Amino acid sequence: MVDCEVCTRTFVDCHAARQHMDAIGHWGCDTCTAEYWSKAASIQHMNAKCHWAPRFECEACNADFATQQEARRHMDQLNHWRTHWCSDCKKGFQNENNLRMHLNSNIHRGSNISCPFCRRAFATATGVTHHLETASCPNARNLNREAILAEIRRRDPNHLITTKLLTYPISSDSIEATEHCWNGDFYECYLCHREFRSLGALNQHVNSPVHKQRVYHCPSRGCSKEFVALAGLFNHLESESCGAVKFDVVQRNVGGFLSGNRLIAFG
């Protein structure tokens, strides 16, 4: 969508917007309230008064925009991102991180990481870890977030990825909300006061990782991020946002983290 420079109307493309502005004299100055009947007149004014605002150019075509938001919207709609470009898919991305995530997805890497118990295939270490932490593996129903954490903590005496806690009650007991949580309109979480339409939805919320302790941390000394679940830590590392380890290193080590007996390390 392209906005008129003077009024609030929007148009499907630049051509339609220019037709409108030519027809009723809605060519505006970038920085003041002056209005002109033609684009040439508005350009002459802005040149004379140095009234040009910063311009944001499309990475693929000759279009330019007054705001970065408009430029991004244009490039999203027309796939005009070029700086971060996947040549195989002929698709552009807004930033390097988005491109990296795309290249590391199953589109390019396939699903070559298997659950050590049921052999279900996943594209990333995050996927297989979430599968086990949520007790979704049919061959390892006893494994969940708490059981995996207990084993990881046992094999991580130097706290490479686990957080030092004064106390940590390992418990897989679920919390059950009751009808007493009804506040007259919704079922309310007494911890964060979020409201839910059904008791089942509230119970799902209170037993999710939302209110759990952050028991994992990034192994990089320069990164202070902490995580509730091992899958969250792996997702952070796979993004390579802090440079702690490379994506491939995480994939190579996930099997040892989840089913090995060695001390925790990224080898």
Side-chain angles (χ1 to χ4, degrees):
M1 302 297 288
V2 181
D3 297 330
C4 172
E5 293 184 1
V6 174
C7 69
T8 58
R9 291 191 61 183
T10 58
F11 301 87
V12 293
D13 55 33
C14 293
H15 178 70
R18 286 173 179 170
Q19 278 188 324
H20 160 78
M21 291 186 286
D22 281 337
I24 59 176
H26 270 195
W27 290 98
C29 172
D30 279 358
T31 55
C32 73
T33 58
E35 300 175 15
Y36 297 90
W37 279 96
S38 69
K39 184 176 183 179
S42 69
I43 290 174
Q44 186 177 18
H45 160 80
M46 290 186 286
N47 282 338
K49 301 291 186 180
C50 295
H51 274 196
W52 288 98
R55 308 301 294 184
F56 298 89
E57 298 179 350
C58 172
E59 294 180 359
C61 68
N62 294 326
D64 59 4
F65 302 88
T67 67
Q68 192 173 47
Q69 182 180 10
E70 290 177 346
R72 286 176 175 173
R73 185 167 56 191
H74 163 81
M75 290 187 283
D76 279 339
Q77 290 175 342
L78 300 181
N79 188 29
H80 274 194
W81 296 100
R82 290 295 182 271
T83 302
H84 306 288
W85 178 256
C86 175
S87 56
D88 292 334
C89 300
K90 302 296 186 289
K91 185 177 181 180
F93 295 87
Q94 189 174 131
N95 54 54
E96 184 180 358
N97 185 58
N98 288 356
L99 173 59
R100 186 187 302 115
M101 291 177 65
H102 167 75
L103 295 175
N104 287 331
S105 70
N106 61 353
I107 296 173
H108 288 279
R109 291 182 174 268
S111 300
N112 53 9
I113 297 179
S114 299
C115 171
F117 304 101
C118 69
R119 313 314 299 174
R120 178 180 170 184
F122 295 87
T124 63
T126 298
V128 68
T129 306
H130 179 74
H131 166 70
L132 292 171
E133 285 189 311
T134 55
S136 300
C137 179
N139 295 341
R141 292 297 188 188
N142 60 320
L143 275 184
N144 55 25
R145 173 185 173 274
E146 286 75 18
I148 291 173
L149 173 60
E151 179 61 19
I152 293 292
R153 287 177 66 83
R154 184 183 70 80
R155 294 192 283 122
D156 188 25
N158 297 321
H159 298 286
L160 176 67
I161 63 170
T162 53
T163 304
K164 292 181 180 179
L165 300 173
L166 293 177
T167 59
Y168 184 80
I170 300 295
S171 173
S172 59
D173 294 337
S174 62
I175 302 171
E176 185 176 359
T178 68
E179 292 293 339
H180 292 292
C181 297
W182 180 255
N183 63 14
D185 298 303
F186 298 96
Y187 291 97
E188 182 178 350
C189 173
Y190 71 94
L191 294 172
C192 66
H193 304 293
R194 282 185 61 186
E195 296 176 326
F196 299 86
R197 294 186 179 277
S198 69
L199 186 59
L202 173 58
N203 272 310
Q204 186 176 18
H205 165 76
V206 296
N207 285 292
S208 73
V210 172
H211 295 302
K212 303 289 186 180
Q213 286 179 290
R214 297 182 183 275
V215 291
Y216 297 99
H217 66 84
C218 177
S220 172
R221 292 184 178 180
C223 180
S224 59
K225 289 192 174 182
E226 295 181 328
F227 306 90
V228 169
L230 186 60
L233 170 61
F234 283 162
N235 186 55
H236 166 71
L237 295 176
E238 286 171 344
S239 73
E240 300 182 9
S241 58
C242 71
V245 294
K246 294 294 186 182
F247 178 91
D248 289 332
V249 174
V250 182
Q251 313 313 301
R252 191 167 61 244
N253 284 274
V254 63
F257 275 54
L258 296 175
S259 61
N261 290 310
R262 294 184 300 175
L263 294 181
I264 296 299
F266 288 99

